[in-house]
Each structure stands twice: as C-alpha cells, then as structure tokens.
Amino acid sequence: MLDRDHCLALDAGDPLRDFRDEFVLPEGVVYLVGNSLGALPRRTAERVRQAVEDEWGGQLVGGWNLAGWYEQPLTTGDRLAPLIGAGPGQVVVGNTTSIAVYQTVAAAARLRPDRRVIVSDVRNFPTDHYMVQGLAGLLGGYEVRDFAEGRFDDAAVVLLSEVDYRTGARHDVPAVTARVQAAGALMVWDVCHSVGAMEVDVSMADFAVGCTYKYLNAGPGAPAFLYVNPRHLAAAENVLPGWHGHAEPFAFEPGFRPAEGIRRFAVGTPHVLSFAALEAALDVWERVSMRQVRAKSVALTSLFIDLVGDALELASPLDAADRGSQVSLYHPDGYPVMRALIDRGVHGDFRAPDILRFGFAPLYTRFVDVHDAAAVLAEVLEKELWREEKYARRLAVT
Amino acid sequence: MLDRDHCLALDAGDPLRDFRDEFVLPEGVVYLVGNSLGALPRRTAERVRQAVEDEWGGQLVGGWNLAGWYEQPLTTGDRLAPLIGAGPGQVVVGNTTSIAVYQTVAAAARLRPDRRVIVSDVRNFPTDHYMVQGLAGLLGGYEVRDFAEGRFDDAAVVLLSEVDYRTGARHDVPAVTARVQAAGALMVWDVCHSVGAMEVDVSMADFAVGCTYKYLNAGPGAPAFLYVNPRHLAAAENVLPGWHGHAEPFAFEPGFRPAEGIRRFAVGTPHVLSFAALEAALDVWERVSMRQVRAKSVALTSLFIDLVGDALELASPLDAADRGSQVSLYHPDGYPVMRALIDRGVHGDFRAPDILRFGFAPLYTRFVDVHDAAAVLAEVLEKELWREEKYARRLAVT
C-alpha cells in the first residue's frame, strides 16, 4: 500500500490544494459524499446573510430590481455556462432537475412530432426515468424504450446521464450524441453527476439539465439548470409556461407569449435564498481550471482503486477515461459496512442493493484523505467490524 | 379626514400590535406591498444561518436525516395546514405556485376523464392561466373556457383565485365551490392572495395551491404549497412524478410507485435554504389568531378607503366582505403616481394599465401607517407631484 507520506507529498504538489481552505469541513471526517451534497463554501454564509438581511430586509419588494433577483435565473445561468461548454444566453437556472428533465424531454418531443418513442435509461437516476414515464403517460401514445436496446431510428428524444450515479460509469458524450442525432433523434444530457468534476461539454447536445448541489457546492436543494442549444431557441416550447418565461411578465397579459431566448424556459418565481448560495458557489468556480479538476479527479479515484486493491469487487470502470469522480465497490452487506465506516469518520454512502459509493470532489478532497479512507476500509473489512449489531439499523434516508 | 391621534389610539388598542416588533421594517417607510412580498421576520436570519452553518456546514449530507430536510415538505405542510382550514397529511410544500397549479389541475382533469373542458379565469394572476394553457396544449383536445362564461356542466375542473390580485375582489369560496361541484366539476382554489390575510378554508375544495412569500412572510421565492382533499388522496395522480413523490425514493426503483398520501405530490429535491425561512415564518403564525387578522384587515382597508374618500375611483369592492386585504385605486397615470408615492416613503405597487395597489398586512401594518399613506397620497394628487419628469421612467420590474 502506498504510504501516507507519499500522499502528503502529492497534496503539497497539488495545484488545487489551496481551494480546500475555501470550504467548511468538519474535523476528523473524510467527506467522500460531495457527489451527493457538496461541502459548504466559506463565503456562502455571508452571501446568504446578505440576501436575507440586506436585500430582503433592507429592500423588501424592491429587491427584484435592486438586488437583481429577477435576473438571477439568467445571470447565474451565464456564469454556470462555461462549466458545461455552453455560452451566454443558453442556460437558465431554477426549479429542480426533475422539472428540468420534464421541460427538456417534452420540448424535444414537440420538436419531433412525427416520432412517438422516448428513449430513457432504466438504470439512470430514478427521477429522470420517472419524469419521462409521467410525461409519456400524460401525452399518451408514446413508448418509453430502454437505452440498452440501442435503437434510436424511430425515437424523438434520448435522455441519458453522462455519469451513472451508482457505478460512476461515464458515457462518451460526443460519440453517443452523434449516434443519436444521426438516427434523427434529439439528445438530452443529464450532467448532474459530472458537472464540477470534469470538463463537461454539452454544446453538441440538443438540451441538457443538471443540478448544482453536488460537485458545484450550491447547497441542499439548490436550483437546477437547463441548457438549450441555440439552434432550438427560437422553436423550442416550454410546456410549463409560468409567468417568468413570458416575454413581458409584468404586462400581466392573459395569453402566454414566450420570452425571446433561454428565458422562456423559466417557470415560476425563483427561490431567491437558494440562488444566493449558488452565487457564492460560482464565485469559487470562476477561479478554477476544469482541466486541473479532471486531472486531480482521475488521480484521486485511481489512487483509491490502487489502495483498495482486490479487497472488494469494483463496480466502477477500471479505465479512468470511462469513469466519473466516484468509485463504487460491491459488498453484499454494503449497508452495515458503510455505517461502520461513517462511525470511523469515513463518509461515503450506500446504494441498494450492494454498492458502496465514494465520491472525490477535487476542490476539497486530499490525497491523504484517500489514503486514510482506504486504510479505514481495509480495517473494517479485515476485522469484520461491520458485523456489530448496531450497524444493521436502517435510517430513513441513507 | 380622521385625525392621526385617533389612528394612534386604534393602534394602542390593537390586539395584534406586538407582532410588528417581530419584523424588520425600514425606517421612514410605510410598506404596503406585503401582498406581493411579505416583510422579513426578525427570527428568520438566525434560522437561515442555522440551516447554512449548523446543518449544511456541520452535518453535510447527514442533514437529510439529522436536520429533517427530507421531511420538510410534509412538516411545513402540516404546520401550514391550519391557515387554510386543512388537516395534517393534506398539504405538501415545494416548488412554485405555477408548478402546483399544473399538478392540481392535471390531477383533477385525470379524475374526470370523460370531460374535456378546463375552466380558468382570464383575469386571474397570469401564471395560473398560462399553466392551464400549457397543460391543455400538451394534453390536446381540451377547451380552456373563461370562468366568466359561468358554465361548468361539462367542465372537468375549475381553477380560480380566492382574491383577485389586481382588485382585491374576493370570491365566496363555499358558494362557488358548491356550484362547481354540483355541476360535476372539481374545484381548485388558488389562495396566494388570501392566505395569511383572512380565515381561509379550502376543506370543501378538491385541491388548492398557494404561495408563502406574500402575507405569510417566508421570503422572496419561498416554496409554494399544494392541498389535496383526503377524498382524492388515494386516486389523485401526480403528473410530475419526481423521486421525492415515490413510495420509497431511496430504493431507487426503475418504476414510479406513488407514496401513500400527500407525499406523492412532492417532486424533486426540496430547496432547503428556502424552507428554513418558511419555518421561521411559521413560528410567528402559530401564535396568531386568524380571526383577529381578518378583523384588523377589514378595519385597515376600510379606514384607507374612508381616508382616500372620493379622490380616486375604487377598483376594489366597497363592501369589506367582498374584499381581500388590499385596496386598489384607478389612476390613468398610475405608474408616475406610484413612483412619487414611493419617493415619499409610501410603498405600494402599480399594475398595468391603471391600478395603484396597496396591501395591508395585518401583522405589521398600523392604523397610523394607513393615515400617513392616505395623507401622502392626497398631497401627491392635490399638488400633482407625480407630473415631475423623473417619475415617468419605467423600471424593469415594478
């Protein structure tokens, strides 16, 4: 096993090492769940306080103009765009990933009215697949086909996640996009599990969606985002036409008239306090090289795989090029194993039925953390510490 | 004109007078826009700080269990329920009013599959009507009929706001509900403009929706709520079936299986920071008598109408029983008049083409505020102060 001093040396040479100081991280914890909920940036508390006390408290309803609340779905969208290979005016922020999936898949289906098949991945993060089922049920006459069938020639739209939430397996975005589009279907990418962990590029895609509470560190339930390729902006329809997507919301017209450009995909009143935390998170990202993030992510996950060795079967791809920023391992008693790890300060999570997940957020995860997590995991497995009765108890949310 | 001392005496005798101290209100401002964005409760800053620093910062992903984030849509729903005449397990909080309108109208339409008419009010707050148009467009084969036509015998569902956002005119909820249901249609009430200002009772209705950022004071873009009558809970379908509406979200099943009860209407991941502000707002409401709120609301709006006299034409009903907690006045140059008022510390708002709106939030609006607002309005009108060039300028959001 690579020794701890070597890992400390890797940290000393890490070009991203100073970013760790930008985050609040509890003492004595190796936090490897940034792929589920990112850590709190130090600057966020003050930005949120400002939104509550100075903006809401000080400006009251005037904050819609004075504090820029009204424009936040677009201003944060433009700031976020470079992280997914998009340009200004192509990304709008708001709502949840579930809603954004619904909007984009429906918009894509409306752009291909002659086709009645929606391709979705049954192994995708469930909410994506559920929203497609809901949409198909409401529309009627649509077939929902599993992506694994590999047939797109009669499909209106294909929805897929760049990185699989359970295994961390990564799709070849350009290749899949090209194949789908060559078959005449539109491509919607969900980048929830890749954005902030690698150089994401959705610019070939027709639509994309993602969340901001994982690697982007915008906080629990932070707003989602939605990308529309400029070639569709004039024709794409928002099937959830709330007043913030109207050309003149404050004209209070009786009929919906879509805004020019990406704003038409806004829906209701934006959740301003949650946007404040996103703004603070984006302040950090503007100083980050995504090339360095990806390089470190590959190094961290590869090191973890090396250190874990053959102790457990790998659920993630062995080749780093095919992997996101997480490492998933199979264990038939994954739940108590993870409880035992957490009890020893190593926080990963468990995904039924048998997967241990460890996420490596490159901005605040150190090489020495990887070492320590692997050492604790080895001890828990070797000594079978997870067999203790107390670890069998299930929590409501894991 | 009633004199100022009399108004001060009314304040001294007001059983709700101490609640004003619970809010942050800027010096020198009479804030009559609580019907658009409620004022900041003093306790909110600390509750939001706690959510950011102690919960997110201290518990990280563990907050979903430890801090109760996962249950917030239901716990806040149960706390809010008494404000709309509902019981536990009947209200879920989340998303925006626009999304809640879509979910409830769609669910109602699915419960009346033999009928293809959705009745909506073209004068309703636009987002409600836009969402109905969007839903009808997606479903296909549906007629959207204006409520003013008064015909419900072939309608699946009727959507209406209890209080009109422009005029403050109030519907007779029991009478309208009974008439709609007698015609075999389902009734969806939007109580955005009434909840927190009067005793709302949706218990006869089939569904209801509302926002929490107006009279409820939960902050800009605070989450909306959705009520389902218990008689529909077993059969009503959430057409936006996100993972938080699933019976076992963390089982990550490939098919959507709705949760028992109201949770099935949850959608995506809740906006936790925005929920924290709602929790603080609800702390205040739990000590408030809605009977006293309504009595004061009637007294405040009636006093304002008396004081304004015949200076401007009243857009609101003269009879208090038919009015919400706002007074709207017509003025052909309403925009510059409102700018001139705001410049003098009296904050109302303007709704095109010709309405001045003044909202009276009973928890923090005093009788002396009503006096002072009426006096400033009288001066602006008498001296035609609004004709100054600087007041003609339009802002992006008014």
Side-chain angles (χ1 to χ4, degrees):
Chain A
M1 190 179 264
L2 282 168
D3 73 9
R4 201 165 191 277
D5 286 343
H6 179 72
C7 292
L8 289 169
L10 289 173
D11 286 324
D14 171 15
L16 298 173
R17 67 181 177 277
D18 291 342
F19 281 105
R20 183 174 168 90
D21 296 334
E22 306 248 2
F23 294 88
V24 176
L25 291 162
E27 282 293 309
V29 167
V30 175
Y31 186 66
L32 302 179
V33 203
N35 56 320
S36 177
L37 177 66
L40 169 64
R42 288 199 184 280
R43 65 180 54 238
T44 300
E46 168 55 18
R47 176 67 191 95
V48 174
R49 187 208 62 74
Q50 190 181 55
V52 173
E53 299 188 45
D54 303 347
E55 295 174 11
W56 177 14
Q59 302 168 348
L60 287 156
V61 75
W64 287 106
N65 276 310
L66 300 171
W69 298 341
Y70 177 67
E71 297 293 339
Q72 274 173 334
L74 300 184
T75 53
T76 54
D78 282 352
R79 293 180 68 191
L80 197 148
L83 299 175
I84 60 168
Q90 298 170 11
V91 178
V92 64
V93 177
N95 306 300
T96 63
T97 306
S98 303
I99 297 295
V101 162
Y102 192 87
Q103 290 178 282
T104 52
V105 172
R110 302 280 269 191
L111 289 169
R112 287 284 178 279
D114 51 317
R115 295 183 171 202
R116 299 281 160 162
V117 175
I118 300 174
V119 175
S120 176
D121 180 358
V122 298
R123 293 153 312 184
N124 201 343
F125 188 81
T127 212
D128 292 45
H129 197 53
Y130 298 161
M131 294 306 283
V132 167
Q133 291 168 13
L135 177 66
L138 196 67
L139 290 170
Y142 273 78
E143 174 196 345
V144 178
R145 180 185 298 157
D146 185 21
F147 179 77
E149 292 185 28
R151 199 160 65 81
F152 314 129
D153 58 339
D154 57 350
V157 48
V158 176
L159 168 68
L160 208 57
S161 277
E162 179 169 16
V163 169
D164 183 278
Y165 78 104
R166 285 168 303 118
T167 65
R170 180 191 183 199
H171 281 290
D172 181 337
V173 166
V176 173
T177 305
R179 190 169 151 227
V180 164
Q181 291 173 341
L186 296 179
M187 184 76 223
V188 182
W189 282 107
D190 177 340
V191 299
C192 282
H193 303 272
S194 47
V195 64
M198 61 184 65
E199 291 162 291
V200 170
D201 186 352
V202 298
S203 61
M204 270 179 71
D206 298 285
F207 298 89
V209 302
C211 76
T212 63
Y213 53 72
K214 296 179 182 292
Y215 296 106
L216 294 187
N217 311 311
F225 60 87
L226 183 162
Y227 160 84
V228 180
N229 192 299
R231 68 177 168 265
H232 297 306
L233 270 177
E237 183 190 347
N238 179 6
V239 300
L240 299 175
W243 70 309
H244 279 256
H246 193 279
E248 289 186 74
F250 291 88
F252 300 98
E253 295 175 3
F256 186 77
R257 189 162 54 87
E260 292 289 314
I262 192 71
R263 186 191 283 283
R264 72 174 54 180
F265 282 90
V267 185
T269 306
H271 303 294
V272 168
L273 302 188
S274 292
F275 271 85
L278 172 59
E279 290 179 336
L282 290 170
D283 288 346
V284 176
W285 284 106
E286 279 167 358
R287 290 175 283 123
V288 172
S289 152
M290 290 308 298
R291 193 184 49 73
Q292 290 179 345
V293 165
R294 175 62 176 165
K296 184 175 174 187
S297 163
V298 166
L300 291 168
T301 53
S302 299
L303 174 63
F304 188 68
I305 291 170
D306 286 347
L307 290 175
V308 170
D310 299 323
L312 289 176
E313 185 189 349
L314 190 62
S316 300
L318 186 59
D319 186 337
D322 300 331
R323 199 168 63 221
S325 202
Q326 74 185 64
V327 174
S328 299
L329 302 167
Y330 290 115
H331 193 292
D333 292 297
Y335 183 79
V337 170
M338 185 52 72
R339 298 296 307 159
L341 287 172
I342 290 171
D343 224 19
R344 286 158 181 79
V346 175
H347 291 224
D349 66 12
F350 168 71
R351 287 294 174 256
D354 57 0
I355 284 184
L356 300 170
R357 293 198 313 176
F358 302 91
F360 299 86
L363 290 193
Y364 52 80
T365 306
R366 298 168 301 195
F367 290 93
V368 73
D369 295 327
V370 175
H371 175 277
D372 294 349
V376 171
L377 176 60
E379 188 191 10
V380 164
L381 294 176
E382 280 161 25
K383 299 184 180 168
E384 298 195 355
L385 300 172
W386 55 271
R387 291 192 186 274
E388 287 183 48
E389 182 59 29
K390 64 180 173 183
Y391 297 132
R393 180 176 54 91
R394 293 267 166 166
L395 297 177
V397 182
T398 57
Chain B
M1 191 179 265
L2 282 169
D3 72 9
R4 202 168 192 276
D5 286 342
H6 179 72
C7 291
L8 289 170
L10 290 174
D11 286 324
D14 171 15
L16 298 173
R17 66 181 178 278
D18 292 341
F19 281 104
R20 183 174 166 92
D21 295 334
E22 306 248 2
F23 293 90
V24 177
L25 290 161
E27 282 293 310
V29 167
V30 176
Y31 186 66
L32 302 178
V33 205
N35 56 321
S36 177
L37 178 65
L40 169 64
R42 288 200 184 279
R43 63 181 54 237
T44 301
E46 168 56 17
R47 176 67 191 95
V48 175
R49 186 209 62 73
Q50 189 182 55
V52 173
E53 298 188 47
D54 303 346
E55 295 174 12
W56 176 14
Q59 301 168 349
L60 288 156
V61 75
W64 287 105
N65 277 308
L66 300 170
W69 299 340
Y70 176 68
E71 296 294 339
Q72 274 173 334
L74 300 185
T75 53
T76 54
D78 282 351
R79 293 180 69 192
L80 198 148
L83 299 175
I84 60 168
Q90 297 171 11
V91 178
V92 63
V93 177
N95 307 297
T96 63
T97 305
S98 304
I99 297 294
V101 163
Y102 192 87
Q103 289 177 282
T104 52
V105 173
R110 301 281 269 191
L111 289 169
R112 287 286 179 278
D114 51 318
R115 294 183 170 201
R116 298 282 159 162
V117 175
I118 300 173
V119 175
S120 176
D121 180 359
V122 298
R123 294 153 311 184
N124 201 343
F125 188 81
T127 211
D128 292 45
H129 197 53
Y130 299 161
M131 294 306 283
V132 166
Q133 290 168 13
L135 177 66
L138 196 66
L139 290 170
Y142 273 78
E143 173 196 344
V144 178
R145 180 185 298 157
D146 186 21
F147 178 78
E149 292 186 28
R151 199 160 65 81
F152 314 129
D153 59 338
D154 57 348
V157 48
V158 176
L159 168 68
L160 208 57
S161 277
E162 179 168 17
V163 169
D164 184 278
Y165 78 104
R166 284 168 303 117
T167 65
R170 180 191 183 198
H171 281 290
D172 182 337
V173 166
V176 173
T177 305
R179 189 170 152 226
V180 164
Q181 291 174 341
L186 297 179
M187 184 74 224
V188 182
W189 283 106
D190 178 340
V191 300
C192 281
H193 303 271
S194 47
V195 65
M198 62 184 64
E199 291 163 290
V200 170
D201 186 353
V202 298
S203 61
M204 271 180 70
D206 298 287
F207 298 89
V209 304
C211 77
T212 63
Y213 53 73
K214 297 179 183 292
Y215 296 106
L216 293 188
N217 311 309
F225 61 86
L226 183 162
Y227 160 84
V228 181
N229 191 298
R231 67 177 169 265
H232 296 307
L233 270 177
E237 183 189 348
N238 180 5
V239 300
L240 299 176
W243 69 309
H244 279 255
H246 194 278
E248 288 186 75
F250 291 88
F252 300 99
E253 295 175 4
F256 184 77
R257 187 162 55 87
E260 292 289 315
I262 192 70
R263 186 191 281 283
R264 73 174 54 179
F265 282 90
V267 184
T269 305
H271 303 294
V272 168
L273 302 187
S274 292
F275 271 85
L278 171 59
E279 290 179 336
L282 290 170
D283 289 346
V284 177
W285 285 106
E286 279 167 357
R287 289 175 284 123
V288 172
S289 152
M290 290 309 298
R291 192 184 51 75
Q292 290 179 345
V293 165
R294 175 61 176 164
K296 184 175 174 186
S297 162
V298 166
L300 292 168
T301 54
S302 299
L303 175 64
F304 188 68
I305 291 171
D306 285 347
L307 291 175
V308 171
D310 299 323
L312 288 175
E313 185 189 349
L314 190 62
S316 300
L318 186 58
D319 186 337
D322 300 331
R323 199 168 64 221
S325 202
Q326 73 184 65
V327 174
S328 299
L329 302 167
Y330 290 114
H331 193 292
D333 292 298
Y335 184 80
V337 170
M338 185 52 72
R339 299 296 307 159
L341 287 173
I342 291 171
D343 224 19
R344 285 155 182 81
V346 175
H347 291 225
D349 65 12
F350 167 72
R351 286 292 173 258
D354 58 0
I355 284 184
L356 301 169
R357 292 199 313 175
F358 302 91
F360 299 86
L363 290 193
Y364 52 80
T365 306
R366 297 168 301 193
F367 290 93
V368 74
D369 295 326
V370 175
H371 174 277
D372 294 350
V376 170
L377 176 60
E379 187 191 11
V380 164
L381 294 176
E382 280 161 24
K383 299 186 180 167
E384 300 195 355
L385 300 173
W386 55 271
R387 291 192 186 276
E388 287 183 48
E389 182 60 28
K390 63 180 172 184
Y391 298 131
R393 177 176 57 90
R394 293 267 167 166
L395 297 176
V397 181
T398 56

